[in-house]
Amino acid sequence: MSKQLKVGIVGLGLIGGSMARAYSTAGHAVLAHDINAASLEAALAQNAVCGKLTAQNAGECDVIFLAVYPAAATAWLRVSAPHLTKSSVVIDLCGTKRGICGTCFGMAREYGFTFVGGHPMAGTQYSGFENSKNELFRGAPMVIVPPEDCDEDTLTRVRELLSPVGFGQITVSTAEKHDRIIAFTSQLAHVVSNAYVKSPNAQVHKGFSAGSYKDLTRVAWLNEQMWTELFMENSDYLTEEIDGIIAALTAYRDAMAMGDAQKLKELLREGRLAKERVDRGSEDK
């Protein structure tokens, strides 16, 4: 994109800070808002942003990203919406979509701007602006949830606005499909990791663990305030996934308790074949 964009970012944590760095590195002007004054000052000092985003100057931005928790995102937009224009595009970066899209699509219709749900599929177990990176999203998937009446011209514009970040793939979804799938691909993994590391043996694992332990426990180091809000917003789909894995684990446990090696072998084989099908499907796409 040759035109210099003016980008607004609400929230300068890992995700918002990385978005700010990506756009600034690409030569675009970034305005930001964060209730943590230290994060905002650090972003200004490191030239990740060039000014402060306010409700009053939000209408000057080509695109605004809401990189805070869902409740905070909708609260900021409710105050700022009257200052936005017909050409304003607002994209949230929250981990669930049904709640925030339901509220913000309504605000967009009322005030005449464009709102699109968004979820960049990248991150680390570390949070905060100090851990943000200008290439965190390069090559990563991005899911967008446009309103039902969104036309192709608007989708093209959204893709162009996102292009400086360097996403490898942009997937268009509904809010319901996003939340159903993300309950499995992300939220369940965080629950399992967080529960797994509560074993007393986690405190004495050194010298006995390798890659499998590290892979399974990486996301146990989470932000409990953020993930509580996201889990509760998606509790219907997430509890279904938790029920499913409890049932699967119970089958393994019962086979061993009954000394049924053949049943255990069958269960392990089923899991291996399921993983092979997943990997083959990924290679085909």
Side-chain angles (χ1 to χ4, degrees):
M1 179 175 287
S2 55
K3 172 196 169 186
Q4 186 189 51
L5 298 173
K6 182 171 281 190
V7 179
I9 297 180
V10 180
L12 287 170
L14 173 70
I15 301 300
S18 296
M19 292 293 277
R21 291 185 189 278
Y23 279 100
S24 294
T25 299
H28 302 287
V30 179
L31 305 178
H33 166 76
D34 197 296
I35 59 173
N36 185 328
S39 293
L40 184 55
E41 291 304 319
L44 287 165
Q46 296 173 35
N47 296 317
V49 307
C50 62
K52 297 182 179 181
L53 177 69
T54 66
Q56 289 69 34
N57 67 16
E60 301 171 9
C61 296
D62 297 287
V63 60
I64 297 172
F65 293 99
L66 307 179
V68 289
Y69 304 168
T74 55
W76 184 91
L77 189 56
R78 191 168 285 113
V79 171
S80 304
H83 301 279
L84 301 180
T85 71
K86 184 170 65 172
S87 62
S88 301
V89 175
V90 180
I91 302 173
D92 87 277
L93 303 176
C94 302
T96 55
K97 296 274 79 79
R98 284 175 294 170
I100 194 166
C101 285
T103 300
C104 296
F105 285 155
M107 277 193 271
R109 286 192 296 270
E110 180 180 356
Y111 291 100
F113 62 91
T114 298
F115 177 84
V116 174
H119 189 181
M121 304 308 300
T124 75
Q125 67 268 42
Y126 306 112
S127 59
F129 179 76
E130 63 273 19
N131 292 302
S132 61
K133 302 174 182 178
N134 67 333
E135 294 202 348
L136 180 66
F137 307 117
R138 185 156 298 280
M142 171 68 165
V143 180
I144 60 172
V145 178
E148 289 184 1
D149 59 354
C150 187
D151 56 33
E152 193 57 42
D153 288 343
T154 300
L155 283 177
T156 297
R157 185 174 175 221
V158 170
R159 289 188 179 100
E160 290 174 349
L161 290 169
L162 290 170
S163 63
V165 184
F167 288 110
Q169 175 183 346
I170 295 178
T171 300
V172 179
S173 175
T174 64
E176 184 172 350
K177 180 179 180 181
H178 169 277
D179 287 0
R180 185 175 67 250
I181 296 176
I182 216 70
F184 168 71
T185 60
S186 175
Q187 294 184 336
L188 180 64
H190 282 78
V191 170
V192 170
S193 180
N194 196 263
Y196 173 79
V197 81
K198 291 178 180 178
S199 167
N201 285 317
Q203 303 303 318
V204 294
H205 76 89
K206 290 184 179 179
F208 295 86
S209 57
S212 56
Y213 173 84
K214 292 178 182 178
D215 290 344
L216 191 51
T217 60
R218 181 180 67 83
V219 294
W221 196 336
L222 48 70
N223 179 328
E224 60 269 19
Q225 181 177 344
M226 179 185 76
W227 284 101
T228 295
E229 185 170 338
L230 294 176
F231 290 167
M232 294 305 294
E233 287 234 345
N234 209 30
S235 61
D236 50 353
Y237 287 135
L238 181 54
T239 53
E240 285 181 13
E241 292 294 342
I242 292 174
D243 287 344
I245 199 166
I246 288 173
L249 289 171
T250 299
Y252 292 100
R253 185 259 176 212
D254 289 350
M256 287 181 280
M258 293 184 292
D260 192 340
Q262 184 59 36
K263 179 61 176 178
L264 179 59
K265 182 178 177 181
E266 290 173 6
L267 291 168
L268 294 170
R269 183 174 184 275
E270 287 172 2
R272 174 177 61 79
L273 293 176
K275 173 60 173 169
E276 288 180 6
R277 288 194 297 273
V278 169
D279 288 353
R280 280 201 302 271
S282 299
E283 292 170 0
D284 291 342
K285 293 179 180 179

mmCIF file of all heavy atoms in Angstrom, residues 42-91:
data_model
loop_
_atom_site.group_PDB
_atom_site.id
_atom_site.type_symbol
_atom_site.label_atom_id
_atom_site.label_comp_id
_atom_site.label_asym_id
_atom_site.label_seq_id
_atom_site.Cartn_x
_atom_site.Cartn_y
_atom_site.Cartn_z
ATOM 1 N N ALA A 42 6.412 4.445 26.714
ATOM 2 C CA ALA A 42 7.438 3.575 26.128
ATOM 3 C C ALA A 42 7.242 3.471 24.621
ATOM 4 O O ALA A 42 8.213 3.503 23.846
ATOM 5 C CB ALA A 42 7.387 2.190 26.770
ATOM 6 N N ALA A 43 5.995 3.348 24.186
ATOM 7 C CA ALA A 43 5.708 3.248 22.754
ATOM 8 C C ALA A 43 6.092 4.535 22.027
ATOM 9 O O ALA A 43 6.632 4.497 20.907
ATOM 10 C CB ALA A 43 4.229 2.943 22.541
ATOM 11 N N LEU A 44 5.835 5.666 22.640
ATOM 12 C CA LEU A 44 6.230 6.954 22.048
ATOM 13 C C LEU A 44 7.749 7.084 21.991
ATOM 14 O O LEU A 44 8.315 7.498 20.977
ATOM 15 C CB LEU A 44 5.638 8.108 22.870
ATOM 16 C CG LEU A 44 4.128 8.338 22.728
ATOM 17 C CD1 LEU A 44 3.616 9.235 23.857
ATOM 18 C CD2 LEU A 44 3.820 8.988 21.375
ATOM 19 N N ALA A 45 8.417 6.687 23.081
ATOM 20 C CA ALA A 45 9.876 6.802 23.141
ATOM 21 C C ALA A 45 10.558 5.901 22.125
ATOM 22 O O ALA A 45 11.622 6.239 21.592
ATOM 23 C CB ALA A 45 10.361 6.463 24.553
ATOM 24 N N GLN A 46 9.943 4.732 21.818
ATOM 25 C CA GLN A 46 10.531 3.781 20.879
ATOM 26 C C GLN A 46 10.012 3.963 19.454
ATOM 27 O O GLN A 46 10.291 3.142 18.578
ATOM 28 C CB GLN A 46 10.249 2.352 21.367
ATOM 29 C CG GLN A 46 10.907 2.041 22.700
ATOM 30 C CD GLN A 46 10.491 0.678 23.250
ATOM 31 O OE1 GLN A 46 10.272 -0.272 22.503
ATOM 32 N NE2 GLN A 46 10.393 0.578 24.573
ATOM 33 N N ASN A 47 9.265 5.053 19.238
ATOM 34 C CA ASN A 47 8.722 5.382 17.909
ATOM 35 C C ASN A 47 7.796 4.307 17.347
ATOM 36 O O ASN A 47 7.626 4.193 16.138
ATOM 37 C CB ASN A 47 9.855 5.652 16.908
ATOM 38 C CG ASN A 47 10.682 6.865 17.284
ATOM 39 O OD1 ASN A 47 10.137 7.900 17.682
ATOM 40 N ND2 ASN A 47 12.003 6.738 17.193
ATOM 41 N N ALA A 48 7.188 3.537 18.249
ATOM 42 C CA ALA A 48 6.167 2.586 17.811
ATOM 43 C C ALA A 48 4.866 3.326 17.527
ATOM 44 O O ALA A 48 4.047 2.876 16.729
ATOM 45 C CB ALA A 48 5.950 1.520 18.872
ATOM 46 N N VAL A 49 4.663 4.452 18.214
ATOM 47 C CA VAL A 49 3.527 5.318 17.946
ATOM 48 C C VAL A 49 4.043 6.755 17.870
ATOM 49 O O VAL A 49 5.104 7.070 18.402
ATOM 50 C CB VAL A 49 2.420 5.188 19.017
ATOM 51 C CG1 VAL A 49 2.011 3.732 19.204
ATOM 52 C CG2 VAL A 49 2.852 5.791 20.342
ATOM 53 N N CYS A 50 3.251 7.597 17.207
ATOM 54 C CA CYS A 50 3.697 8.985 17.037
ATOM 55 C C CYS A 50 2.790 9.989 17.729
ATOM 56 O O CYS A 50 3.039 11.195 17.673
ATOM 57 C CB CYS A 50 3.817 9.327 15.551
ATOM 58 S SG CYS A 50 2.267 9.231 14.641
ATOM 59 N N GLY A 51 1.737 9.495 18.384
ATOM 60 C CA GLY A 51 0.836 10.406 19.067
ATOM 61 C C GLY A 51 -0.215 9.650 19.843
ATOM 62 O O GLY A 51 -0.291 8.420 19.813
ATOM 63 N N LYS A 52 -1.048 10.399 20.555
ATOM 64 C CA LYS A 52 -2.074 9.807 21.405
ATOM 65 C C LYS A 52 -3.419 9.786 20.682
ATOM 66 O O LYS A 52 -3.813 10.770 20.046
ATOM 67 C CB LYS A 52 -2.180 10.582 22.716
ATOM 68 C CG LYS A 52 -0.905 10.524 23.553
ATOM 69 C CD LYS A 52 -1.049 11.265 24.863
ATOM 70 C CE LYS A 52 0.241 11.175 25.698
ATOM 71 N NZ LYS A 52 0.113 11.878 26.994
ATOM 72 N N LEU A 53 -4.102 8.661 20.788
ATOM 73 C CA LEU A 53 -5.429 8.502 20.208
ATOM 74 C C LEU A 53 -6.467 8.936 21.238
ATOM 75 O O LEU A 53 -6.424 8.522 22.392
ATOM 76 C CB LEU A 53 -5.660 7.038 19.827
ATOM 77 C CG LEU A 53 -7.039 6.689 19.275
ATOM 78 C CD1 LEU A 53 -7.240 7.295 17.890
ATOM 79 C CD2 LEU A 53 -7.226 5.169 19.229
ATOM 80 N N THR A 54 -7.397 9.775 20.790
ATOM 81 C CA THR A 54 -8.495 10.212 21.653
ATOM 82 C C THR A 54 -9.815 9.998 20.916
ATOM 83 O O THR A 54 -9.830 9.760 19.703
ATOM 84 C CB THR A 54 -8.359 11.706 22.007
ATOM 85 O OG1 THR A 54 -8.523 12.489 20.812
ATOM 86 C CG2 THR A 54 -7.003 12.010 22.631
ATOM 87 N N ALA A 55 -10.901 10.103 21.655
ATOM 88 C CA ALA A 55 -12.207 10.000 21.003
ATOM 89 C C ALA A 55 -12.358 11.098 19.962
ATOM 90 O O ALA A 55 -12.925 10.882 18.883
ATOM 91 C CB ALA A 55 -13.322 10.099 22.046
ATOM 92 N N GLN A 56 -11.799 12.265 20.244
ATOM 93 C CA GLN A 56 -11.967 13.410 19.353
ATOM 94 C C GLN A 56 -11.182 13.277 18.049
ATOM 95 O O GLN A 56 -11.630 13.736 16.997
ATOM 96 C CB GLN A 56 -11.552 14.710 20.068
ATOM 97 C CG GLN A 56 -12.514 15.145 21.160
ATOM 98 C CD GLN A 56 -12.504 14.231 22.381
ATOM 99 O OE1 GLN A 56 -11.456 13.678 22.735
ATOM 100 N NE2 GLN A 56 -13.654 14.065 23.007
ATOM 101 N N ASN A 57 -9.987 12.648 18.072
ATOM 102 C CA ASN A 57 -9.216 12.526 16.822
ATOM 103 C C ASN A 57 -9.355 11.155 16.169
ATOM 104 O O ASN A 57 -8.732 10.880 15.153
ATOM 105 C CB ASN A 57 -7.739 12.881 17.029
ATOM 106 C CG ASN A 57 -6.993 11.886 17.921
ATOM 107 O OD1 ASN A 57 -7.447 10.768 18.166
ATOM 108 N ND2 ASN A 57 -5.837 12.305 18.435
ATOM 109 N N ALA A 58 -10.199 10.294 16.751
ATOM 110 C CA ALA A 58 -10.359 8.947 16.193
ATOM 111 C C ALA A 58 -10.879 8.980 14.763
ATOM 112 O O ALA A 58 -10.531 8.127 13.942
ATOM 113 C CB ALA A 58 -11.304 8.128 17.078
ATOM 114 N N GLY A 59 -11.706 9.959 14.444
ATOM 115 C CA GLY A 59 -12.267 10.069 13.105
ATOM 116 C C GLY A 59 -11.235 10.361 12.034
ATOM 117 O O GLY A 59 -11.524 10.207 10.834
ATOM 118 N N GLU A 60 -10.031 10.772 12.425
ATOM 119 C CA GLU A 60 -8.957 11.040 11.456
ATOM 120 C C GLU A 60 -8.279 9.746 10.992
ATOM 121 O O GLU A 60 -7.546 9.759 10.000
ATOM 122 C CB GLU A 60 -7.903 11.956 12.087
ATOM 123 C CG GLU A 60 -8.435 13.301 12.572
ATOM 124 C CD GLU A 60 -7.396 14.064 13.382
ATOM 125 O OE1 GLU A 60 -6.214 13.614 13.404
ATOM 126 O OE2 GLU A 60 -7.751 15.084 13.987
ATOM 127 N N CYS A 61 -8.513 8.654 11.696
ATOM 128 C CA CYS A 61 -7.819 7.402 11.391
ATOM 129 C C CYS A 61 -8.489 6.642 10.252
ATOM 130 O O CYS A 61 -9.715 6.609 10.140
ATOM 131 C CB CYS A 61 -7.781 6.504 12.630
ATOM 132 S SG CYS A 61 -6.831 7.188 14.011
ATOM 133 N N ASP A 62 -7.666 6.021 9.423
ATOM 134 C CA ASP A 62 -8.187 5.143 8.370
ATOM 135 C C ASP A 62 -8.710 3.849 8.972
ATOM 136 O O ASP A 62 -9.701 3.289 8.502
ATOM 137 C CB ASP A 62 -7.074 4.824 7.367
ATOM 138 C CG ASP A 62 -6.571 6.056 6.655
ATOM 139 O OD1 ASP A 62 -7.302 6.565 5.790
ATOM 140 O OD2 ASP A 62 -5.452 6.511 6.966
ATOM 141 N N VAL A 63 -8.016 3.354 9.983
ATOM 142 C CA VAL A 63 -8.414 2.114 10.645
ATOM 143 C C VAL A 63 -8.050 2.207 12.122
ATOM 144 O O VAL A 63 -7.023 2.789 12.482
ATOM 145 C CB VAL A 63 -7.742 0.882 9.988
ATOM 146 C CG1 VAL A 63 -6.218 0.973 10.049
ATOM 147 C CG2 VAL A 63 -8.232 -0.422 10.609
ATOM 148 N N ILE A 64 -8.914 1.668 12.958
ATOM 149 C CA ILE A 64 -8.682 1.635 14.403
ATOM 150 C C ILE A 64 -8.766 0.187 14.869
ATOM 151 O O ILE A 64 -9.716 -0.529 14.528
ATOM 152 C CB ILE A 64 -9.716 2.478 15.163
ATOM 153 C CG1 ILE A 64 -9.602 3.957 14.754
ATOM 154 C CG2 ILE A 64 -9.530 2.330 16.680
ATOM 155 C CD1 ILE A 64 -10.710 4.830 15.304
ATOM 156 N N PHE A 65 -7.786 -0.242 15.634
ATOM 157 C CA PHE A 65 -7.775 -1.594 16.188
ATOM 158 C C PHE A 65 -8.073 -1.537 17.680
ATOM 159 O O PHE A 65 -7.450 -0.766 18.418
ATOM 160 C CB PHE A 65 -6.414 -2.253 15.961
ATOM 161 C CG PHE A 65 -6.105 -2.531 14.525
ATOM 162 C CD1 PHE A 65 -5.286 -1.675 13.797
ATOM 163 C CD2 PHE A 65 -6.644 -3.633 13.880
ATOM 164 C CE1 PHE A 65 -5.007 -1.907 12.461
ATOM 165 C CE2 PHE A 65 -6.369 -3.888 12.550
ATOM 166 C CZ PHE A 65 -5.557 -3.022 11.831
ATOM 167 N N LEU A 66 -9.003 -2.374 18.113
ATOM 168 C CA LEU A 66 -9.340 -2.480 19.528
ATOM 169 C C LEU A 66 -8.623 -3.696 20.087
ATOM 170 O O LEU A 66 -9.060 -4.831 19.903
ATOM 171 C CB LEU A 66 -10.853 -2.612 19.705
ATOM 172 C CG LEU A 66 -11.711 -1.531 19.029
ATOM 173 C CD1 LEU A 66 -13.196 -1.802 19.269
ATOM 174 C CD2 LEU A 66 -11.328 -0.136 19.526
ATOM 175 N N ALA A 67 -7.507 -3.469 20.759
ATOM 176 C CA ALA A 67 -6.643 -4.555 21.232
ATOM 177 C C ALA A 67 -6.702 -4.654 22.753
ATOM 178 O O ALA A 67 -5.669 -4.747 23.425
ATOM 179 C CB ALA A 67 -5.208 -4.330 20.761
ATOM 180 N N VAL A 68 -7.924 -4.618 23.278
ATOM 181 C CA VAL A 68 -8.146 -4.736 24.721
ATOM 182 C C VAL A 68 -9.214 -5.805 24.948
ATOM 183 O O VAL A 68 -9.742 -6.381 24.003
ATOM 184 C CB VAL A 68 -8.578 -3.384 25.335
ATOM 185 C CG1 VAL A 68 -7.408 -2.408 25.362
ATOM 186 C CG2 VAL A 68 -9.755 -2.775 24.557
ATOM 187 N N TYR A 69 -9.530 -6.079 26.206
ATOM 188 C CA TYR A 69 -10.546 -7.082 26.518
ATOM 189 C C TYR A 69 -11.884 -6.665 25.906
ATOM 190 O O TYR A 69 -12.147 -5.476 25.710
ATOM 191 C CB TYR A 69 -10.704 -7.252 28.021
ATOM 192 C CG TYR A 69 -9.438 -7.597 28.775
ATOM 193 C CD1 TYR A 69 -9.407 -7.543 30.158
ATOM 194 C CD2 TYR A 69 -8.271 -7.980 28.110
ATOM 195 C CE1 TYR A 69 -8.260 -7.859 30.879
ATOM 196 C CE2 TYR A 69 -7.123 -8.311 28.815
ATOM 197 C CZ TYR A 69 -7.119 -8.234 30.202
ATOM 198 O OH TYR A 69 -5.985 -8.547 30.904
ATOM 199 N N PRO A 70 -12.770 -7.629 25.636
ATOM 200 C CA PRO A 70 -14.035 -7.292 24.966
ATOM 201 C C PRO A 70 -14.840 -6.186 25.646
ATOM 202 O O PRO A 70 -15.333 -5.272 24.974
ATOM 203 C CB PRO A 70 -14.790 -8.628 24.988
ATOM 204 C CG PRO A 70 -13.708 -9.659 24.960
ATOM 205 C CD PRO A 70 -12.598 -9.089 25.790
ATOM 206 N N ALA A 71 -14.992 -6.241 26.964
ATOM 207 C CA ALA A 71 -15.786 -5.218 27.659
ATOM 208 C C ALA A 71 -15.157 -3.840 27.517
ATOM 209 O O ALA A 71 -15.864 -2.839 27.295
ATOM 210 C CB ALA A 71 -15.935 -5.589 29.135
ATOM 211 N N ALA A 72 -13.842 -3.766 27.620
ATOM 212 C CA ALA A 72 -13.146 -2.485 27.475
ATOM 213 C C ALA A 72 -13.221 -1.981 26.038
ATOM 214 O O ALA A 72 -13.316 -0.771 25.794
ATOM 215 C CB ALA A 72 -11.692 -2.627 27.911
ATOM 216 N N ALA A 73 -13.166 -2.905 25.076
ATOM 217 C CA ALA A 73 -13.241 -2.519 23.664
ATOM 218 C C ALA A 73 -14.582 -1.878 23.337
ATOM 219 O O ALA A 73 -14.646 -0.821 22.702
ATOM 220 C CB ALA A 73 -13.005 -3.748 22.779
ATOM 221 N N THR A 74 -15.664 -2.508 23.781
ATOM 222 C CA THR A 74 -16.985 -1.944 23.501
ATOM 223 C C THR A 74 -17.195 -0.632 24.252
ATOM 224 O O THR A 74 -17.837 0.286 23.739
ATOM 225 C CB THR A 74 -18.096 -2.942 23.859
ATOM 226 O OG1 THR A 74 -17.950 -3.362 25.216
ATOM 227 C CG2 THR A 74 -18.030 -4.167 22.963
ATOM 228 N N ALA A 75 -16.648 -0.522 25.452
ATOM 229 C CA ALA A 75 -16.781 0.724 26.221
ATOM 230 C C ALA A 75 -16.080 1.872 25.512
ATOM 231 O O ALA A 75 -16.626 2.989 25.412
ATOM 232 C CB ALA A 75 -16.207 0.531 27.630
ATOM 233 N N TRP A 76 -14.864 1.632 25.001
ATOM 234 C CA TRP A 76 -14.135 2.693 24.277
ATOM 235 C C TRP A 76 -14.893 3.086 23.017
ATOM 236 O O TRP A 76 -15.039 4.279 22.718
ATOM 237 C CB TRP A 76 -12.725 2.221 23.913
ATOM 238 C CG TRP A 76 -11.920 3.312 23.271
ATOM 239 C CD1 TRP A 76 -11.099 4.217 23.898
ATOM 240 C CD2 TRP A 76 -11.869 3.638 21.870
ATOM 241 N NE1 TRP A 76 -10.544 5.084 22.986
ATOM 242 C CE2 TRP A 76 -11.000 4.763 21.726
ATOM 243 C CE3 TRP A 76 -12.459 3.108 20.735
ATOM 244 C CZ2 TRP A 76 -10.728 5.347 20.491
ATOM 245 C CZ3 TRP A 76 -12.195 3.693 19.505
ATOM 246 C CH2 TRP A 76 -11.335 4.792 19.382
ATOM 247 N N LEU A 77 -15.392 2.108 22.294
ATOM 248 C CA LEU A 77 -16.072 2.415 21.038
ATOM 249 C C LEU A 77 -17.374 3.167 21.289
ATOM 250 O O LEU A 77 -17.745 4.057 20.509
ATOM 251 C CB LEU A 77 -16.343 1.127 20.264
ATOM 252 C CG LEU A 77 -16.854 1.304 18.831
ATOM 253 C CD1 LEU A 77 -15.896 2.151 18.006
ATOM 254 C CD2 LEU A 77 -17.063 -0.053 18.174
ATOM 255 N N ARG A 78 -18.055 2.852 22.369
ATOM 256 C CA ARG A 78 -19.309 3.544 22.678
ATOM 257 C C ARG A 78 -19.072 5.043 22.883
ATOM 258 O O ARG A 78 -19.876 5.878 22.458
ATOM 259 C CB ARG A 78 -19.945 2.924 23.924
ATOM 260 C CG ARG A 78 -21.362 3.377 24.173
ATOM 261 C CD ARG A 78 -22.044 2.511 25.234
ATOM 262 N NE ARG A 78 -22.410 1.205 24.714
ATOM 263 C CZ ARG A 78 -21.864 0.063 25.109
ATOM 264 N NH1 ARG A 78 -20.890 0.070 26.016
ATOM 265 N NH2 ARG A 78 -22.270 -1.082 24.610
ATOM 266 N N VAL A 79 -17.959 5.401 23.503
ATOM 267 C CA VAL A 79 -17.624 6.809 23.722
ATOM 268 C C VAL A 79 -17.150 7.470 22.429
ATOM 269 O O VAL A 79 -17.465 8.637 22.152
ATOM 270 C CB VAL A 79 -16.529 6.930 24.816
ATOM 271 C CG1 VAL A 79 -16.009 8.358 24.905
ATOM 272 C CG2 VAL A 79 -17.078 6.469 26.159
ATOM 273 N N SER A 80 -16.412 6.724 21.615
ATOM 274 C CA SER A 80 -15.773 7.303 20.430
ATOM 275 C C SER A 80 -16.638 7.265 19.176
ATOM 276 O O SER A 80 -16.391 8.023 18.229
ATOM 277 C CB SER A 80 -14.456 6.569 20.144
ATOM 278 O OG SER A 80 -13.610 6.620 21.271
ATOM 279 N N ALA A 81 -17.636 6.398 19.139
ATOM 280 C CA ALA A 81 -18.442 6.211 17.928
ATOM 281 C C ALA A 81 -19.009 7.507 17.347
ATOM 282 O O ALA A 81 -18.992 7.693 16.124
ATOM 283 C CB ALA A 81 -19.562 5.205 18.203
ATOM 284 N N PRO A 82 -19.503 8.434 18.172
ATOM 285 C CA PRO A 82 -20.055 9.661 17.588
ATOM 286 C C PRO A 82 -19.035 10.506 16.836
ATOM 287 O O PRO A 82 -19.409 11.364 16.023
ATOM 288 C CB PRO A 82 -20.592 10.422 18.815
ATOM 289 C CG PRO A 82 -20.824 9.364 19.852
ATOM 290 C CD PRO A 82 -19.733 8.365 19.615
ATOM 291 N N HIS A 83 -17.747 10.260 17.068
ATOM 292 C CA HIS A 83 -16.690 11.044 16.420
ATOM 293 C C HIS A 83 -16.160 10.374 15.146
ATOM 294 O O HIS A 83 -15.333 10.953 14.439
ATOM 295 C CB HIS A 83 -15.531 11.258 17.394
ATOM 296 C CG HIS A 83 -15.932 11.974 18.650
ATOM 297 N ND1 HIS A 83 -16.066 13.343 18.720
ATOM 298 C CD2 HIS A 83 -16.241 11.489 19.890
ATOM 299 C CE1 HIS A 83 -16.433 13.682 19.950
ATOM 300 N NE2 HIS A 83 -16.544 12.576 20.669
ATOM 301 N N LEU A 84 -16.629 9.162 14.852
ATOM 302 C CA LEU A 84 -16.151 8.452 13.670
ATOM 303 C C LEU A 84 -16.926 8.901 12.438
ATOM 304 O O LEU A 84 -17.989 9.524 12.537
ATOM 305 C CB LEU A 84 -16.290 6.934 13.876
ATOM 306 C CG LEU A 84 -15.527 6.363 15.062
ATOM 307 C CD1 LEU A 84 -15.730 4.853 15.168
ATOM 308 C CD2 LEU A 84 -14.036 6.683 14.967
ATOM 309 N N THR A 85 -16.397 8.579 11.267
ATOM 310 C CA THR A 85 -17.002 9.015 10.011
ATOM 311 C C THR A 85 -17.406 7.809 9.166
ATOM 312 O O THR A 85 -17.114 6.661 9.501
ATOM 313 C CB THR A 85 -16.015 9.872 9.206
ATOM 314 O OG1 THR A 85 -14.953 9.026 8.699
ATOM 315 C CG2 THR A 85 -15.398 10.971 10.065
ATOM 316 N N LYS A 86 -18.028 8.098 8.048
ATOM 317 C CA LYS A 86 -18.475 7.047 7.134
ATOM 318 C C LYS A 86 -17.305 6.239 6.601
ATOM 319 O O LYS A 86 -17.444 5.064 6.261
ATOM 320 C CB LYS A 86 -19.255 7.680 5.975
ATOM 321 C CG LYS A 86 -19.855 6.707 5.006
ATOM 322 C CD LYS A 86 -20.801 7.393 4.029
ATOM 323 C CE LYS A 86 -20.054 8.360 3.135
ATOM 324 N NZ LYS A 86 -20.946 8.894 2.063
ATOM 325 N N SER A 87 -16.120 6.832 6.532
ATOM 326 C CA SER A 87 -14.949 6.125 6.003
ATOM 327 C C SER A 87 -14.147 5.402 7.086
ATOM 328 O O SER A 87 -13.181 4.705 6.787
ATOM 329 C CB SER A 87 -14.026 7.102 5.269
ATOM 330 O OG SER A 87 -13.537 8.093 6.160
ATOM 331 N N SER A 88 -14.536 5.546 8.342
ATOM 332 C CA SER A 88 -13.806 4.906 9.442
ATOM 333 C C SER A 88 -14.016 3.398 9.431
ATOM 334 O O SER A 88 -15.135 2.918 9.250
ATOM 335 C CB SER A 88 -14.267 5.458 10.798
ATOM 336 O OG SER A 88 -14.068 6.857 10.896
ATOM 337 N N VAL A 89 -12.919 2.652 9.635
ATOM 338 C CA VAL A 89 -12.978 1.193 9.771
ATOM 339 C C VAL A 89 -12.437 0.838 11.151
ATOM 340 O O VAL A 89 -11.325 1.238 11.505
ATOM 341 C CB VAL A 89 -12.164 0.479 8.682
ATOM 342 C CG1 VAL A 89 -12.146 -1.031 8.930
ATOM 343 C CG2 VAL A 89 -12.727 0.778 7.299
ATOM 344 N N VAL A 90 -13.215 0.102 11.919
ATOM 345 C CA VAL A 90 -12.806 -0.337 13.256
ATOM 346 C C VAL A 90 -12.740 -1.856 13.255
ATOM 347 O O VAL A 90 -13.680 -2.530 12.811
ATOM 348 C CB VAL A 90 -13.789 0.149 14.339
ATOM 349 C CG1 VAL A 90 -13.333 -0.337 15.719
ATOM 350 C CG2 VAL A 90 -13.911 1.667 14.308
ATOM 351 N N ILE A 91 -11.622 -2.409 13.732
ATOM 352 C CA ILE A 91 -11.421 -3.856 13.781
ATOM 353 C C ILE A 91 -11.019 -4.234 15.201
ATOM 354 O O ILE A 91 -10.032 -3.715 15.725
ATOM 355 C CB ILE A 91 -10.317 -4.312 12.799
ATOM 356 C CG1 ILE A 91 -10.660 -3.887 11.364
ATOM 357 C CG2 ILE A 91 -10.110 -5.829 12.878
ATOM 358 C CD1 ILE A 91 -9.542 -4.160 10.360
#
